[in-house]
């Protein structure tokens, strides 16, 4: 009598090797140092990329912002705009005396508010960060698609071609990419499970 083969081993989850020290236990990711999303440049873009990848895998992330992070100590309009842009990412833990926009981020955050799916030679994006202004995009122009796929990794804007920089301007205008102090990163996570009714996918 033959025995049944063992089930295939489950692959360990792989998150990008960025400037973010973390520990992972099942679906829980604990970031070991405060993140400085408002500090700008490579570290901020890499932190956003890290959080985006965690969101892509529907992981629970415990992270806190640095208490002096300009993102959370700036003007109310600046904090509100950036929190609205990044609301689809795992929300930061509470800080004493934090601006109310961070509590709103935690209250309104949900998996599937912004995501992308890939097809042959195109990407579709669903943006529901603002429920009253939900939008769907299809990225199929070769230059725009190539740039979107490139900036899934945090990238210096100066390293892009003129066409790439024009594409970044379009992606930024539609709030699908974040430019911070000369670095750019795409914001929509790649969807890996059905988080919303199939009519919204």
């Amino acid at each position: 009598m033959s025995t049944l083969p063992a089930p295939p081993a489950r692959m360990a989850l792989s998150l990008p090797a960025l400037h973010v020290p973390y520990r992972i236990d099942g679906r829980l990711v604990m970031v070991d140092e405060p993140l400085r999303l408002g500090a700008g440049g490579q570290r901020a873009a890499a932190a956003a990329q890290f959080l985006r990848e965690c969101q892509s895998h529907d992981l629970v992330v415990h992270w806190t912002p640095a208490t002096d992070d300009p993102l959370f100590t700036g003007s109310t309009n600046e904090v509100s705009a950036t929190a609205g842009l990044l609301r689809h990412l795992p929300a930061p833990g509470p800080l004493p005396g934090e601006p109310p926009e961070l509590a709103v981020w935690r209250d309104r955050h949900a998996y599937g508010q912004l995501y992308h799916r890939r097809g042959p030679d195109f990407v579709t994006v669903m943006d529901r960060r603002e429920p009253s202004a939900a939008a769907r995009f299809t990225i199929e122009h070769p230059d725009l698609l190539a740039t979107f796929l490139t900036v899934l990794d945090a990238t210096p804007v100066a390293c892009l071609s003129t066409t790439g920089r024009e594409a970044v301007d379009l992606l930024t205008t539609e709030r699908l990419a974040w430019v911070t102090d000369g670095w750019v990163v795409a914001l929509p996570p790649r969807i890996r499970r059905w988080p919303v009714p199939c009519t919204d996918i």
Side-chain angles (χ1 to χ4, degrees):
M1 181 175 178
S2 62
T3 59
L4 293 174
R10 192 171 181 181
M11 292 181 63
L13 182 62
S14 176
L15 292 172
L18 300 167
H19 302 288
V20 179
Y22 69 93
R23 294 167 285 132
I24 187 165
D25 182 11
R27 288 186 57 246
L28 175 63
V29 176
M30 291 157 286
V31 179
D32 294 328
E33 295 177 1
L35 297 182
R36 295 180 58 85
L37 289 174
Q42 181 180 12
R43 292 185 75 89
Q49 180 185 342
F50 176 83
L51 292 173
R52 187 199 69 211
E53 289 305 299
C54 290
Q55 182 70 1
S56 177
H57 291 282
D58 191 22
L59 298 173
V60 177
V61 185
H62 288 179
W63 71 277
T64 56
T67 55
D68 61 344
D69 190 331
L71 179 63
F72 306 116
T73 59
S75 70
T76 300
N77 289 340
E78 180 184 4
V79 173
S80 182
T82 306
L85 183 68
L86 304 180
R87 184 178 297 146
H88 65 290
L89 299 177
L95 281 177
E98 69 180 10
E101 289 78 12
L102 295 194
V104 171
W105 184 350
R106 284 190 294 275
D107 291 342
R108 295 187 181 177
H109 170 74
Y111 182 79
Q113 289 180 330
L114 174 69
Y115 56 84
H116 80 270
R117 298 176 66 213
R118 298 183 195 177
D121 302 320
F122 70 91
V123 161
T124 58
V125 178
M126 184 67 183
D127 184 357
R128 300 183 308 130
R129 285 170 290 184
E130 299 296 338
S132 62
R136 187 189 309 266
F137 303 90
T138 300
I139 301 173
E140 55 187 348
H141 186 282
D143 294 330
L144 190 60
L145 178 61
T147 301
F148 176 83
L149 296 175
T150 295
V151 302
L152 285 171
D153 292 323
T155 303
V157 175
C159 290
L160 299 172
S161 66
T162 301
T163 301
R165 291 193 293 273
E166 291 172 355
V168 163
D169 288 342
L170 289 173
L171 293 169
T172 303
T173 298
E174 298 297 345
R175 304 174 74 231
L176 303 181
W178 184 37
V179 175
T180 171
D181 198 17
W183 284 72
V184 59
V185 64
L187 294 176
R190 187 175 185 180
I191 199 71
R192 297 179 189 273
R193 72 174 182 84
W194 275 190
V196 289
C198 61
T199 54
D200 287 340
I201 299 256

